Amino acid sequence: MKGRRGGAAETRRPPARALVVLPVVRGAGDGEGPETRTAEGRLAEAAGLAEAVNVAVLGRILVPLRKTVPATLMGSGKVEEIAALVRIHDAELVVVDHPVTPVQQRNLEKAWSAKVLDRTGLILEIFGDRAHTKEGRLQVELAHLNYQKSRLVRSWTHLERQRGGFGFLGGPGETQIEADRRVIQTRIRAIEKELASVRNMRQVHRAKRKSVPQPVLALVGYTNAGKSTLFNRLTGADVLAKHMLFATLDPTLRRVKLPHGEEVIVSDTVGFISELPTTLVAAFRATLEEVIEADVILHVRDIAAPETEAQAADVVAVLRELGVDPEAPGRIIEVWNKIDQLNPEASEALKRKADGAEPKAVPVSATTGEGVDDLLATIEAVLLGSRLTVTLDLTPEQAGQAPWLYENAEVLDRSTDAGSGATRLVVRIPEKRMKSFQDWLRRTGAAASVRSG
């Protein structure tokens, strides 16, 4: 990933001139589901992706296709038409928002005399531009190398066969493609080893967090849904929040205090997107483990977006790919963000709809702060709903063990019998501390009764 240091020279580089092409394949093979995006919406998103990586979009082109052409993806007439537009605009890049095979890429670059980048390649470019931590850069490089490995084709002279052995007696040797692939595979193994070390370190940090009874919340959502703005609103942090796809990439964790004083840890994660490359999901698995391990997932939605339902479906699909069950009770709270962009009637209708939504939904505006108090109260109710409330009767001797309860549970009430000196405590136990609490009961021999609430 060359030239990804984010310095002043990179900022001053003039944007690349580009055309954005969206092939729309009609019929059963287009892979579109019931929550279909409009072609115009998909084209606008593709242009937004391009603009997110310092590209000046000079034209947007919809290409209806009955079927794809193996050699060039689209028919010769459309290839020639786009070639003319490339010359008119003096474009140096054509972004094709569709999977493009190595052969198709080579043929289109020859026909258009311009660099061709498909959707996966474009997202990799954006991620490479946004990654600032060592872990982030490693994860992006791993995804990029896996992408490159699949695209080594015989299109340059240096890829011709090399002679092996000595003189004329040597065998055919290996192709440069095979040598390049071996170098890439060696680097992939090295990165995977480094990421394994990072994963182990994350597990150590996660184990330390688990030793303290602080629940973890993970913010997930479609890119540009307002996750980082909400994160800043909740935590008082100063994470980059811009109207730009994938404005932030590296995860950030901060503490937040709930209405009744309990602290939780909130994690801001990378934004999801439709057709997110599987290589990226695999590469970022160490980071996304924060989502897998979270007690509650806050699914932030841009509720003002015309395609909010389709975006939500894409996020749920990625969560399932990570092994998260979105339908598990109390696991997900939907945050319907950007209600400030709705008219008053639509905003009120949305709030009425949220009352009976499942999973739970809270309309908010991360920009103005409207609804954030309701969100915190909902988070608290969900977390407390998974806890047991226990009444403990302690003898004077056992009362000496009560400090453990103050450190590891929530003490709701305490009373002492003046005559016997016995102490009664009402405590609420976090689910993740139940095993430790049971061990404490065995050690102390305290009498306990459980009640709901």
Side-chain angles (χ1 to χ4, degrees):
M1 303 296 297
K2 297 179 181 178
R4 298 298 179 200
R5 294 292 181 264
E10 181 73 16
T11 303
R12 288 194 297 268
R13 187 189 68 188
R17 301 179 304 280
L19 300 177
V20 175
V21 177
L22 173 64
V24 180
V25 183
R26 304 298 183 187
D30 60 7
E32 296 184 2
E35 293 166 330
T36 304
R37 290 174 169 80
T38 63
E40 291 74 15
R42 293 165 58 194
L43 185 59
E45 180 180 272
L49 287 170
E51 289 166 350
V53 71
N54 195 33
V55 167
V57 177
L58 305 176
R60 306 179 184 186
I61 307 160
L62 277 173
V63 181
L65 299 176
R66 289 196 192 91
K67 61 179 180 179
T68 58
V69 178
T72 55
L73 183 63
M74 58 197 79
S76 58
K78 186 57 69 173
V79 171
E80 291 172 6
E81 179 184 327
I82 294 173
L85 291 172
V86 169
R87 291 192 295 271
I88 291 170
H89 291 287
D90 192 24
E92 53 193 308
L93 172 67
V94 179
V95 175
V96 180
D97 191 40
H98 191 279
V100 176
T101 68
V103 170
Q104 290 169 346
Q105 181 179 6
R106 179 188 62 190
N107 292 338
L108 290 174
E109 286 180 343
K110 285 182 178 179
W112 294 338
S113 298
K115 173 69 178 174
V116 171
L117 206 58
D118 69 357
R119 184 179 181 87
T120 299
L122 179 59
I123 293 174
L124 285 170
E125 284 294 315
I126 297 170
F127 273 48
D129 198 55
R130 299 289 186 269
H132 299 299
T133 65
K134 178 183 177 182
E135 178 186 2
R137 289 196 295 268
L138 284 172
Q139 290 174 132
V140 171
E141 186 181 356
L142 176 60
H144 211 292
L145 287 172
N146 279 312
Y147 177 71
Q148 285 180 331
K149 185 175 69 171
S150 68
R151 307 187 80 77
L152 292 176
V153 294
R154 295 177 66 90
S155 55
W156 297 279
T157 56
H158 84 281
L159 297 183
E160 292 174 352
R161 187 173 296 277
Q162 300 172 336
R163 182 173 297 278
F166 297 95
F168 297 100
L169 300 178
E174 67 177 355
T175 65
Q176 185 63 39
I177 292 176
E178 291 165 345
D180 289 350
R181 186 172 286 123
R182 190 178 66 252
V183 170
I184 288 175
Q185 190 59 46
T186 299
R187 178 60 183 156
I188 286 173
R189 284 196 292 267
I191 293 174
E192 288 175 339
K193 186 175 181 180
E194 286 190 73
L195 283 175
S197 175
V198 170
R199 187 175 295 110
N200 290 337
M201 186 60 66
R202 276 190 176 276
Q203 289 173 346
V204 170
H205 291 165
R206 200 173 290 121
K208 287 182 179 178
R209 291 202 302 268
K210 286 183 176 180
S211 68
V212 180
Q214 288 183 330
V216 177
L217 312 178
L219 292 173
V220 303
Y222 206 81
T223 185
N224 213 26
K227 291 191 292 52
S228 295
T229 304
L230 180 63
F231 182 82
N232 290 341
R233 172 69 64 175
L234 292 173
T235 66
D238 191 25
V239 172
L240 175 65
K242 296 178 65 178
H243 184 68
M244 179 172 62
L245 298 176
F246 297 115
T248 53
L249 179 60
D250 298 305
T252 310
L253 287 83
R254 294 286 189 277
R255 285 184 172 84
V256 173
K257 191 165 284 190
L258 295 179
H260 288 87
E262 182 173 3
E263 282 191 340
V264 296
I265 296 173
V266 180
S267 171
D268 184 19
T269 61
V270 62
F272 298 165
I273 197 168
S274 65
E275 301 173 48
L276 187 68
T278 54
T279 53
L280 274 176
V281 176
F284 277 78
R285 192 166 187 87
T287 300
L288 293 172
E289 281 175 0
E290 296 293 345
V291 177
I292 299 169
E293 297 289 334
D295 296 278
V296 175
I297 296 171
L298 301 182
H299 176 186
V300 183
R301 293 176 53 181
D302 178 357
I303 206 66
E307 295 166 340
T308 182
E309 295 295 338
Q311 292 177 356
D314 287 325
V315 172
V316 168
V318 176
L319 289 176
R320 291 189 189 280
E321 190 173 346
L322 293 171
V324 174
D325 180 8
E327 296 171 0
R331 190 71 201 280
I332 291 181
I333 299 173
E334 286 199 350
V335 184
W336 293 354
N337 191 27
K338 304 190 183 182
I339 60 171
D340 55 299
Q341 297 182 14
L342 301 175
N343 62 51
E345 294 78 11
S347 179
E348 287 304 316
L350 190 73
K351 291 173 184 177
R352 290 193 296 272
K353 181 181 177 182
D355 288 339
E358 188 59 43
K360 291 182 181 296
V362 184
V364 307
S365 168
T367 300
T368 67
E370 181 183 359
V372 169
D373 289 343
D374 292 339
L375 174 60
L376 291 172
T378 301
I379 292 169
E380 187 173 65
V382 168
L383 289 173
L384 296 184
S386 65
R387 299 182 176 189
L388 289 178
T389 300
V390 180
T391 300
L392 296 167
D393 290 310
L394 308 179
T395 65
E397 295 76 16
Q398 293 168 339
Q401 301 295 321
W404 185 94
L405 297 169
Y406 284 90
E407 294 174 2
N408 296 274
E410 184 183 2
V411 178
L412 304 177
D413 188 39
R414 175 171 182 153
S415 59
T416 303
D417 184 276
S420 65
T423 299
R424 170 164 288 188
L425 293 174
V426 180
V427 298
R428 193 151 45 200
I429 313 297
E431 188 174 355
K432 63 173 63 178
R433 306 298 295 178
M434 281 305 300
K435 186 177 184 304
S436 300
F437 174 66
Q438 291 165 354
D439 292 340
W440 181 88
L441 282 177
R442 281 192 289 271
R443 288 198 309 272
T444 60
S449 60
V450 179
R451 62 183 175 87
S452 61

